[in-house]
PDB file of all heavy atoms in Angstrom:
ATOM      1  N   TYR L  95      75.299 119.360 106.405  1.00 98.00           N
ATOM      2  CA  TYR L  95      74.711 120.611 106.890  1.00 98.00           C
ATOM      3  C   TYR L  95      73.258 120.580 106.538  1.00 98.00           C
ATOM      4  O   TYR L  95      72.435 121.157 107.321  1.00 98.00           O
ATOM      5  CB  TYR L  95      75.322 121.845 106.137  1.00 98.00           C
ATOM      6  CG  TYR L  95      76.869 122.032 106.325  1.00 98.00           C
ATOM      7  CD1 TYR L  95      77.423 122.963 105.473  1.00 98.00           C
ATOM      8  CD2 TYR L  95      77.541 121.380 107.209  1.00 98.00           C
ATOM      9  CE1 TYR L  95      78.783 123.176 105.536  1.00 98.00           C
ATOM     10  CE2 TYR L  95      78.827 121.554 107.345  1.00 98.00           C
ATOM     11  CZ  TYR L  95      79.535 122.535 106.472  1.00 98.00           C
ATOM     12  OH  TYR L  95      80.916 122.764 106.613  1.00 98.00           O
ATOM     13  N   LEU L  96      72.813 120.020 105.531  1.00 98.00           N
ATOM     14  CA  LEU L  96      71.466 119.918 104.970  1.00 98.00           C
ATOM     15  C   LEU L  96      70.564 118.718 105.610  1.00 98.00           C
ATOM     16  O   LEU L  96      69.530 118.527 105.231  1.00 98.00           O
ATOM     17  CB  LEU L  96      71.275 119.946 103.512  1.00 98.00           C
ATOM     18  CG  LEU L  96      71.923 121.221 102.813  1.00 98.00           C
ATOM     19  CD1 LEU L  96      72.076 120.973 101.373  1.00 98.00           C
ATOM     20  CD2 LEU L  96      70.999 122.361 103.123  1.00 98.00           C
ATOM     21  N   SER L  97      71.302 117.886 106.436  1.00 98.00           N
ATOM     22  CA  SER L  97      70.669 116.722 106.997  1.00 98.00           C
ATOM     23  C   SER L  97      70.319 115.708 105.833  1.00 98.00           C
ATOM     24  O   SER L  97      69.412 114.962 105.988  1.00 98.00           O
ATOM     25  CB  SER L  97      69.513 117.034 107.867  1.00 98.00           C
ATOM     26  OG  SER L  97      69.863 117.766 108.950  1.00 98.00           O
ATOM     27  N   ALA L  98      71.032 115.766 104.740  1.00 98.00           N
ATOM     28  CA  ALA L  98      70.973 114.839 103.660  1.00 98.00           C
ATOM     29  C   ALA L  98      71.861 113.622 103.940  1.00 98.00           C
ATOM     30  O   ALA L  98      72.605 113.571 104.992  1.00 98.00           O
ATOM     31  CB  ALA L  98      71.290 115.507 102.348  1.00 98.00           C
ATOM     32  N   ILE L  99      71.802 112.700 103.059  1.00 98.00           N
ATOM     33  CA  ILE L  99      72.593 111.438 103.195  1.00 98.00           C
ATOM     34  C   ILE L  99      73.654 111.303 102.219  1.00 98.00           C
ATOM     35  O   ILE L  99      73.340 111.199 101.010  1.00 98.00           O
ATOM     36  CB  ILE L  99      71.622 110.229 103.277  1.00 98.00           C
ATOM     37  CG1 ILE L  99      70.628 110.368 104.345  1.00 98.00           C
ATOM     38  CG2 ILE L  99      72.410 108.953 103.360  1.00 98.00           C
ATOM     39  CD1 ILE L  99      69.438 109.518 104.213  1.00 98.00           C
ATOM     40  N   PRO L 100      74.982 111.229 102.644  1.00 98.00           N
ATOM     41  CA  PRO L 100      76.022 111.005 101.613  1.00 98.00           C
ATOM     42  C   PRO L 100      76.096 109.564 101.215  1.00 98.00           C
ATOM     43  O   PRO L 100      75.887 108.681 101.993  1.00 98.00           O
ATOM     44  CB  PRO L 100      77.300 111.429 102.323  1.00 98.00           C
ATOM     45  CG  PRO L 100      76.955 111.143 103.752  1.00 98.00           C
ATOM     46  CD  PRO L 100      75.487 111.360 103.980  1.00 98.00           C
ATOM     47  N   VAL L 101      76.227 109.314  99.919  1.00 98.00           N
ATOM     48  CA  VAL L 101      76.509 107.948  99.281  1.00 98.00           C
ATOM     49  C   VAL L 101      77.806 108.019  98.572  1.00 98.00           C
ATOM     50  O   VAL L 101      77.925 108.731  97.548  1.00 98.00           O
ATOM     51  CB  VAL L 101      75.259 107.465  98.400  1.00 98.00           C
ATOM     52  CG1 VAL L 101      75.669 106.182  97.783  1.00 98.00           C
ATOM     53  CG2 VAL L 101      73.971 107.497  99.072  1.00 98.00           C
ATOM     54  N   PHE L 102      78.773 107.376  99.141  1.00 98.00           N
ATOM     55  CA  PHE L 102      80.186 107.576  98.592  1.00 98.00           C
ATOM     56  C   PHE L 102      80.534 106.510  97.434  1.00 98.00           C
ATOM     57  O   PHE L 102      80.078 105.475  97.413  1.00 98.00           O
ATOM     58  CB  PHE L 102      81.192 107.399  99.797  1.00 98.00           C
ATOM     59  CG  PHE L 102      81.070 108.476 100.698  1.00 98.00           C
ATOM     60  CD1 PHE L 102      80.601 108.282 102.078  1.00 98.00           C
ATOM     61  CD2 PHE L 102      81.367 109.753 100.449  1.00 98.00           C
ATOM     62  CE1 PHE L 102      80.436 109.230 102.909  1.00 98.00           C
ATOM     63  CE2 PHE L 102      81.232 110.864 101.310  1.00 98.00           C
ATOM     64  CZ  PHE L 102      80.729 110.549 102.650  1.00 98.00           C
ATOM     65  N   ILE L 103      81.275 107.089  96.524  1.00 98.00           N
ATOM     66  CA  ILE L 103      81.613 106.390  95.281  1.00 98.00           C
ATOM     67  C   ILE L 103      83.167 106.273  95.153  1.00 98.00           C
ATOM     68  O   ILE L 103      83.851 107.150  95.299  1.00 98.00           O
ATOM     69  CB  ILE L 103      81.039 107.004  94.050  1.00 98.00           C
ATOM     70  CG1 ILE L 103      79.585 107.453  94.242  1.00 98.00           C
ATOM     71  CG2 ILE L 103      81.275 106.252  92.820  1.00 98.00           C
ATOM     72  CD1 ILE L 103      78.737 106.244  94.399  1.00 98.00           C
ATOM     73  N   ASP L 104      83.571 105.070  94.713  1.00 98.00           N
ATOM     74  CA  ASP L 104      85.027 104.775  94.503  1.00 98.00           C
ATOM     75  C   ASP L 104      85.518 105.578  93.425  1.00 98.00           C
ATOM     76  O   ASP L 104      84.838 106.041  92.600  1.00 98.00           O
ATOM     77  CB  ASP L 104      85.213 103.261  94.247  1.00 98.00           C
ATOM     78  CG  ASP L 104      86.619 102.886  94.515  1.00 98.00           C
ATOM     79  OD1 ASP L 104      87.472 103.547  95.007  1.00 98.00           O
ATOM     80  OD2 ASP L 104      86.986 101.633  94.161  1.00 98.00           O
ATOM     81  N   SER L 105      86.896 105.638  93.252  1.00 98.00           N
ATOM     82  CA  SER L 105      87.586 106.286  92.162  1.00 98.00           C
ATOM     83  C   SER L 105      87.851 105.279  91.144  1.00 98.00           C
ATOM     84  O   SER L 105      87.691 103.961  91.266  1.00 98.00           O
ATOM     85  CB  SER L 105      88.992 106.743  92.695  1.00 98.00           C
ATOM     86  OG  SER L 105      88.811 107.793  93.660  1.00 98.00           O
ATOM     87  N   GLU L 106      88.210 105.724  89.958  1.00 98.00           N
ATOM     88  CA  GLU L 106      88.828 104.910  88.840  1.00 98.00           C
ATOM     89  C   GLU L 106      90.255 105.257  88.763  1.00 98.00           C
ATOM     90  O   GLU L 106      90.766 106.297  89.177  1.00 98.00           O
ATOM     91  CB  GLU L 106      88.040 105.143  87.520  1.00 98.00           C
ATOM     92  CG  GLU L 106      87.749 106.538  87.035  1.00 98.00           C
ATOM     93  CD  GLU L 106      88.896 107.402  86.687  1.00 98.00           C
ATOM     94  OE1 GLU L 106      89.929 106.677  86.200  1.00 98.00           O
ATOM     95  OE2 GLU L 106      88.811 108.611  86.585  1.00 98.00           O
ATOM     96  N   PRO L 107      91.100 104.291  88.212  1.00 98.00           N
ATOM     97  CA  PRO L 107      92.615 104.497  88.288  1.00 98.00           C
ATOM     98  C   PRO L 107      93.247 105.490  87.368  1.00 98.00           C
ATOM     99  O   PRO L 107      94.382 105.926  87.567  1.00 98.00           O
ATOM    100  CB  PRO L 107      93.171 103.069  87.950  1.00 98.00           C
ATOM    101  CG  PRO L 107      92.048 102.403  87.103  1.00 98.00           C
ATOM    102  CD  PRO L 107      90.818 103.051  87.593  1.00 98.00           C
TER     103      PRO L 107
END
Side-chain angles (χ1 to χ4, degrees):
Y95 300 167
L96 295 169
S97 297
I99 299 164
V101 176
F102 294 111
I103 311 297
D104 197 10
S105 296
E106 42 77 16

